[in-house]
Amino acid sequence: MSYPNSEQLSKWRRQFHQMPEIGWSEFVTTATLITTLRDMGYQVLTGKEFLNPAAILGRDRQDVDKGVARAQAAGVDPNLLAEIAGLTGCLALLDTGVEGPTIALRFDIDCVAVNESRDSRHLPFSQGFASLNPGYMHACGHDGHMAIGLGVAQWLIANRASLRGRVKLIFQPAEEGVRGARPVVEGGSLDDVDYFLSAHLGMGCPSGEIVVNPQDFLCTTKLDFRFDGISAHAGVNPQGGANALVGACHCVSQLMGIPRHGEGMTRINVGTLQAGEGRNVIPSSALLQLEVRGDCQQINQYMTQRALSIGEGIAQGFGLRFEHEVMGEAVDLHNDMQLIELVSHIARDNVGLSLREDSFGGSEDATLLVKRVQERGGKAIYFVLGATISAGHHEANFDFDEASLLPGVQVFTGCISALIGC
Ligand SMILES: [Zn+2]
Ligand SMILES: [Zn+2]
């Protein structure tokens, strides 16, 4: 069975690396994926055929508009942009026409708001494929995920005659901030899936190794809190105002004081506070961007509920109006034993990777996809594919070892062969 070569995988990775796009603005990326996949012979679902717009989380209209403008400037076919209809990401479907299980693989496609290093020791810079989109960078490795996804796509086409069933390659937007998975779930494309596999590169696991069953995924909810008060003259009529800034400040300190939970880990962070209009005006509006996390759904729910009741209570105390919006969410992870055994076997015996045990310690919205597949009786796994990194994820000097791309393709295709090979 033929594999794409490492050079082609690096070429794809570098192409994506040069055009990083933040979640929900990945229009050039999506157009590149669709065109490449259709050229290979895939049926590709886009826009509302792929995502349920009603379930979208944390989509910033300005990011979307900028992304569309960037795609237009980059010469993306207007018909393709119209087809994407403002909704990034896509799903490539391979139907062998032979009865058999359905497999879904997920690759995330967005970047991070990091300004890429221009240090000569930073390989993407010294090799001339650094970000061309200032302020944004593929600093998490999702460029590598897409390259692996296209490598798997190429392998599937070359080997389709020896496969049965169907394979869905999901290229998911907006993983950062855990925003993109819910509309994929609600789009329904996972509902007939028997096996689901997804992975992240790096995450502390070096090249040549794999963490098949990472532990300690945190459930998380990302929230925006909005307080609306009444503006007034700060000298003449302060008693006529309702101070949203002061309310928001009290809210922050109360949020940080939510009691820990005796049954598991919790986290809370208020990342931003924007408030007020001018020095001599009673501030009439405030916005908090915060997140809570918990060991399991019950503990995350506890954190979310406590945070919401603080927001409501503060609003009442200060005579403000309170609104909240869920901007992102992820759950914990429970990989299925059948797939743990399969990925372990393929990675160790076929690809030659060493198995390693490790914790994840963060959150990942692939967990929502895993959960949906498992709820419908399918089996699912999320694993960490070793890739030596030059700096931490989300740092300006982040880069990963491109030699890890081919083993990534081989782990996925080895599993596909085992599951639906004739
Ligand atoms: Zn990331
Ligand atoms: Zn990531």
Side-chain angles (χ1 to χ4, degrees):
M1 293 208 178
S2 65
Y3 288 106
N5 60 45
S6 295
E7 273 146 63
Q8 177 62 67
L9 294 171
S10 290
K11 211 172 135 195
W12 278 323
R13 183 265 165 152
R14 293 179 180 207
Q15 183 184 359
F16 289 122
H17 191 87
Q18 267 194 314
M19 186 42 85
E21 297 175 292
I22 200 80
W24 296 122
S25 82
E26 314 94 324
F27 290 94
V28 178
T29 306
T30 298
T32 306
L33 288 166
I34 294 171
T35 309
T36 310
L37 291 160
R38 284 189 178 151
D39 285 349
M40 287 183 191
Y42 279 90
Q43 180 192 348
V44 182
L45 304 184
T46 60
K48 286 184 191 169
E49 284 187 315
F50 168 49
L51 298 176
N52 181 344
I56 279 177
L57 300 176
R59 183 158 167 263
D60 184 320
R61 194 67 242 177
Q62 278 184 343
D63 286 341
V64 175
D65 292 344
K66 274 192 227 160
V68 171
R70 191 170 46 242
Q72 285 164 341
V76 171
D77 177 2
N79 293 323
L80 188 53
L81 266 184
E83 181 194 326
I84 295 170
L87 300 169
T88 48
C90 64
L91 185 154
L93 175 67
L94 183 82
D95 192 341
T96 63
V98 183
E99 185 81 12
T102 298
I103 299 180
L105 268 45
R106 176 275 215 169
F107 308 94
D108 42 9
I109 70 170
D110 58 327
C111 80
V112 190
V114 167
N115 216 352
E116 183 152 17
S117 166
R118 305 187 77 76
D119 188 321
S120 59
R121 287 164 299 182
H122 180 57
L123 189 110
F125 180 67
S126 65
Q127 298 285 310
F129 66 94
S131 167
L132 297 175
N133 188 10
Y136 298 97
M137 174 186 173
H138 268 296
C140 200
H142 302 181
D143 48 349
H145 298 171
M146 287 185 274
I148 291 173
L150 291 179
V152 172
Q154 201 179 56
W155 180 91
L156 284 168
I157 292 289
N159 295 284
R160 65 185 299 171
S162 57
L163 300 171
R164 62 205 169 87
R166 304 194 306 158
V167 182
K168 296 176 174 185
L169 303 174
I170 294 169
F171 291 89
Q172 183 206 300
E175 191 286 322
E176 298 292 347
V178 290
R179 299 172 290 160
R182 195 160 87 175
V184 173
V185 167
E186 299 303 330
S189 54
L190 292 165
D191 293 355
D192 62 350
V193 167
D194 300 294
Y195 298 102
F196 174 87
L197 298 96
S198 188
H200 206 297
L201 278 172
M203 307 301 287
C205 181
S207 298
E209 299 188 19
I210 186 168
V211 183
V212 175
N213 191 25
Q215 301 298 307
D216 305 327
F217 276 75
L218 294 174
C219 298
T220 184
T221 304
K222 317 297 185 194
L223 293 157
D224 277 4
F225 279 11
R226 235 175 290 275
F227 294 102
D228 284 305
I230 300 165
S231 62
H233 193 293
V236 178
N237 186 32
Q239 73 281 9
N243 194 321
L245 186 153
V246 173
C249 289
H250 278 263
C251 183
V252 172
S253 55
Q254 289 206 16
L255 287 170
M256 301 316 279
I258 295 176
R260 302 304 81 168
H261 201 293
E263 285 162 29
M265 281 189 292
T266 59
R267 301 271 192 283
I268 181 158
N269 187 52
V270 182
T272 73
L273 161 55
Q274 296 153 36
E277 294 82 31
R279 187 188 305 279
N280 55 0
V281 180
I282 301 295
S284 70
S285 67
L287 172 71
L288 299 181
Q289 292 181 310
L290 63 129
E291 59 159 46
V292 295
R293 301 187 197 228
D295 240 354
C296 61
Q297 280 172 269
Q298 178 215 342
I299 293 176
N300 187 57
Q301 193 58 23
Y302 157 82
M303 293 298 289
T304 307
Q305 280 314 325
R306 283 290 181 110
L308 288 174
S309 47
I310 287 170
E312 281 155 14
I314 288 286
Q316 205 163 40
F318 286 83
L320 307 169
R321 203 153 52 80
F322 174 67
E323 278 176 359
H324 79 277
E325 192 177 346
V326 175
M327 303 301 282
E329 63 182 5
V331 294
D332 48 351
L333 177 77
H334 303 281
N335 284 336
D336 283 296
M337 192 45 75
Q338 182 193 344
L339 291 179
I340 294 174
E341 285 169 359
L342 177 63
V343 174
S344 301
H345 159 61
I346 298 291
R348 187 185 50 217
D349 305 332
N350 296 16
V351 187
L353 302 178
S354 315
L355 307 188
R356 172 191 176 102
E357 286 182 15
D358 212 344
S359 71
F360 195 76
S363 305
E364 175 35 93
D365 68 3
T367 52
L368 290 177
L369 310 179
V370 166
K371 187 169 159 233
R372 172 58 69 108
V373 170
Q374 290 173 334
E375 279 169 358
R376 303 265 164 158
K379 302 267 194 308
I381 191 165
Y382 183 87
F383 55 95
V384 173
L385 202 56
T388 301
I389 55 178
S390 57
H393 291 257
H394 296 198
E395 291 180 20
N397 281 308
F398 175 84
D399 186 29
F400 67 86
D401 176 15
E402 288 179 350
S404 62
L405 296 172
L406 185 57
V409 173
Q410 289 170 329
V411 170
F412 281 116
T413 55
C415 291
I416 293 170
S417 271
L419 291 167
I420 59 169
C422 312

